[in-house]
Amino acid sequence: MLREEWDLGMKEQLNTIAFVGNYLPRQCGIATFTTDLRNAVATHATGRSMVLAMNDREEGYDYPSEVWLELSDEDRSDYITAAEMLNMRQVDLVCLQHEYGIFGGEAGRHITAMLRRLNMPVVTTLHTVLQDPSPQQQIVMEEIADLSDRLVVMSERAVEFLTDIYGLPRESISFIHHGIPDLPFADSDYWKPALGAGGRRLLLTFGLLSPAKGIEHMIDALPSVVERHPDVLYMVLGATHPALKRECGEEYRESLIARSEQLGVADHVAFVDRFIEIDELCDYLCAADAYVTPYINEAQITSGTLAYALGAGKPVVSTPYWYAEEMLADGRGVLVPFNDSEALGEAVGEVFSDDATRNEMRRYAYDFTRQMVWSRVGQEYLELFSEVRSGRRTSPRLIGEDRAARWLTPPPAVNLGHIRTLTDGTGILQHGCFGVGDRGHGYCTDDVARALITVVEAEEAGVEDDDLRDLQTTYVSFLHHAFNPLSRRFRNFMSYDRRWLDEEGAEDAHGRAVQALGIMARFSDDQQMVGLASNLLDQTLPLVLDFSSPRAWAGGLIAANNYLERFRSDRMVNRAQAELAQRLLQRYADASSHDWPWFEDYLTYDNARFTEALLGAGDRLGRTDMIDCATEALAWLFDHQITNEGHLAPVGCHGWSNRGEEPSLFDQQPLEASSLARAAAAAFRVTGDRSWEERVLLCWEWFEGRNSLGVSLYDRETGACYDGLRLDGVNRNQGAESTIAAVMTLIVRQQVARVAQPRLGLVRRTISASAADGSAT
């Protein structure tokens, strides 16, 4: 059934369509195609059509007003930001123009960073489909196919390759012809005088010049053509490809000129050395008597120049590359062997000699290509967009098997609901039984300290919740009660009936309690709270210097880093900061190696806490060696826990990760993702490096479904978080540590996003139509 025959009531209304690809005035075939496609769709669409243009140079291009964003092709963070902005704009559909070479990363993989973050449907037009892809090219193509709702190709051979080589289902592929301008079936002699070709038989080749075009073979064939038709003029139309020109200058063009002179046909060859705009190009096409594409190999799945020539009703002589074989079938052109100048000259000469055959070829070509004019192609794309959008409504797309797409949507507001559920007048219950607090396990100082950090930082971040101060009071009161003045240590475990189960908690728990006090002393505007926190800190921080636990050192150091932001002259805390920072630095020097740049011979829990502490200290002390150490270690820690698929996989607690061994995959704990997020946020604040902002996002995505199982751990409605990822699914309990970790990560994610400035190379442009109706922001 033709798309025109659809019931109009079934079509999806599209308010905004975004096109991604190269765009004029950048000089390349993809730019021309994207521009023509966008304009053709805009003609039929009732909504807006915006463009995200790829830049291959820092200064960009002088784009028209429909270009909304410019992306630096080699800056992966630009792709991620573009996805975020598209989601915020609630764009209905993205149409991607794909060619490996226009995107950054190995085999152009950067584009997948954008695709996997988009909420809306994606239709991808493939301008290259390789028969023998490299392993990385095949991975990228398969990933793009997985992340696209539909693939569009412009030849039947491309359909065969995608199904047979890449194993894609036929229903995921749509065939739509390459668009062409709607030119008249006209007498070429009318157009020639204005182009300096009056009285000549005009043979034309156009497009960006490069050795792959095989122009030398046509020049070699020209003497035999001139012998039969002395009035022939071979016109080579187009600038040298910018990439080739940057690398080799005009070496190829100059070699062609020299070749024509050596063969004595220089008067029969004309080079038009510039990028030809579409209106002028149409004049040249109309003036041509024949068209030639002497390409040197078969691996070309589509050709805009060939499509344009056929659309102008020109007889074509071509080598048998894939697209030419398909388009020149049924008498629409003549095919000759590759690299065979003799056969090429014979075919061109015969086309000029046989008027009847030439005119028959013209008519066949022109009639066939009426389905390819841009007005028709634009309508086909628009109707495909509507079909794809409708399909999303009835069958939501999950990326990968049994994977939740929650992480693709904008982040929710901070929700303290489940933290309140687990909190009573004593503290926060450490465990949950499903979504209910488990009173049997009581409370622990460790989780109360985490909760205090969370609600203090929530208030600092501007979270609006009437219970914030009450929660802070409850938690700091618990820590005050947990403090044992005889030993100056914090107790850790308390039963539900308020009996302490230990007289002295672990060093790590003590360090976390001290950390919470330091953060409260820094951010609270309640002098009573600050006074209590400072008093406890005075008594408990010095003990951390006697501990052997590096995690306790890190907690004490984070406390000092924060406390000194407010009380800079405190000598005891300054000494503690310097001592603890030096210990962690020495620990790293002693334990790290080239292939294991870490503070210990293993990874267990809350690993990134070391780097968060050292970053803060290095920043305040002006110690670049500490900052370098921390960023090096943190970058490795992320790399060690990011899969080949690009998602976070925190080291599992069933086996952890030992030096020289693969990390355990399960059970993955929310605490690890939260710890990584806090450290990455610290690295972003200290260094300003945008890659750390991206890593913060990666941590939050883990909670929302971009993880090893593709399931969401975080409940947006209740603010609760499951207790981890097991081999067979989530741990259905929702305790304090996991919920606090999720909320803490969400706060960090929003803080980082809020302070981030627009990236260099990603320039938002106001769409004139939006500005006119006041919808631009």
Side-chain angles (χ1 to χ4, degrees), residues 260-304:
S260 67
E261 292 172 347
Q262 292 167 5
L263 293 172
V265 294
D267 292 340
H268 298 272
V269 181
F271 290 91
V272 180
D273 181 11
R274 54 190 171 85
F275 187 81
I276 306 298
E277 301 293 341
I278 184 63
D279 291 341
E280 187 179 6
L281 173 60
C282 290
D283 292 344
Y284 279 101
L285 285 170
C286 289
D289 294 297
Y291 190 80
V292 61
T293 55
Y295 298 168
I296 63 175
N297 64 67
E298 65 178 357
Q300 183 144 346
I301 206 70
T302 188
S303 169

Side-chain angles (χ1 to χ4, degrees), residues 20-24 26 28 30-32 34-35 52-54 97 102:
V20 180
N22 295 354
Y23 206 75
L24 293 177
R26 182 172 174 180
C28 72
I30 302 294
T32 301
T34 308
T35 303
L52 287 75
M54 303 304 306
Q97 305 307 307
I102 71 174

Side-chain angles (χ1 to χ4, degrees), residues 158-171:
V159 175
E160 295 174 12
F161 284 178
L162 290 175
T163 54
D164 296 346
I165 298 172
Y166 298 88
L168 301 181
R170 179 62 183 84
E171 60 270 20

Side-chain angles (χ1 to χ4, degrees), residues 128-240:
T128 295
V129 181
L130 299 174
Q131 185 179 34
D132 297 304
S134 69
Q136 189 61 33
Q137 287 170 332
Q138 179 145 355
I139 289 171
V140 170
M141 178 59 71
E142 290 172 354
E143 190 169 2
I144 288 172
D146 185 48
L147 296 170
S148 300
D149 294 73
R150 194 71 59 87
L151 300 175
V152 176
V153 295
M154 292 172 273
S155 69
E156 295 293 349
R157 182 71 64 92
V159 175
E160 295 174 12
F161 284 178
L162 290 175
T163 54
D164 296 346
I165 298 172
Y166 298 88
L168 301 181
R170 179 62 183 84
E171 60 270 20
S172 69
I173 307 164
S174 293
F175 172 79
I176 300 178
H177 277 293
H178 193 298
I180 58 172
D182 193 358
L183 299 178
F185 189 76
D187 182 357
S188 60
D189 288 339
Y190 172 80
W191 305 87
K192 292 178 182 177
L195 304 176
R200 307 290 295 268
R201 292 178 190 267
L202 185 58
L203 178 65
L204 184 67
T205 292
F206 83 88
L208 294 175
L209 199 62
S210 71
K213 298 296 178 68
I215 305 300
E216 63 272 18
H217 297 295
M218 188 60 240
I219 291 176
D220 288 346
L222 208 52
S224 67
V225 178
V226 170
E227 184 177 350
R228 297 173 65 179
H229 304 284
D231 59 347
V232 72
L233 175 64
Y234 179 38
M235 187 170 287
V236 181
L237 187 64
T240 300

Side-chain angles (χ1 to χ4, degrees), residues 596 598 601-605 607 636-637 640 651 656-658:
W596 187 269
W598 195 244
D601 291 331
Y602 42 81
L603 298 175
T604 55
Y605 71 97
N607 299 290
W636 173 83
L637 185 62
H640 195 68
V651 57
W656 301 115
S657 179
N658 296 311

Side-chain angles (χ1 to χ4, degrees), residues 293-368:
T293 55
Y295 298 168
I296 63 175
N297 64 67
E298 65 178 357
Q300 183 144 346
I301 206 70
T302 188
S303 169
T305 64
L306 179 58
Y308 277 34
L310 291 170
K314 302 302 170 182
V316 176
V317 177
S318 176
T319 51
Y321 55 91
W322 296 325
Y323 190 64
E325 284 185 320
E326 196 168 308
M327 294 298 291
L328 300 184
D330 301 325
R332 293 188 291 271
V334 178
L335 296 174
V336 299
F338 291 108
N339 306 318
D340 190 335
S341 298
E342 182 178 346
L344 191 59
E346 176 64 26
V348 171
E350 190 62 28
V351 165
F352 282 142
S353 297
D354 190 340
D355 292 344
T357 299
R358 184 174 70 253
N359 289 330
E360 187 176 63
M361 290 168 59
R362 288 189 64 205
R363 175 52 65 183
Y364 287 159
Y366 192 80
D367 290 346
F368 177 79

Side-chain angles (χ1 to χ4, degrees), residues 15-16 85-93 120 389:
N15 295 317
T16 309
M85 296 180 74
L86 286 166
N87 291 336
M88 287 189 292
R89 268 297 183 100
Q90 296 183 310
V91 170
D92 293 311
L93 182 138
M120 68 290 297
R389 178 82 179 172

Side-chain angles (χ1 to χ4, degrees), residues 127 148 168 223 238 257-259 269 323 338 406 542 593 605 611 646 743 750:
H127 292 260
S148 300
L168 301 181
I257 294 172
R259 198 183 201 103
V269 181
Y323 190 64
F338 291 108
R406 180 71 59 81
S593 62
Y605 71 97
T611 57
V743 173
Q750 294 184 348

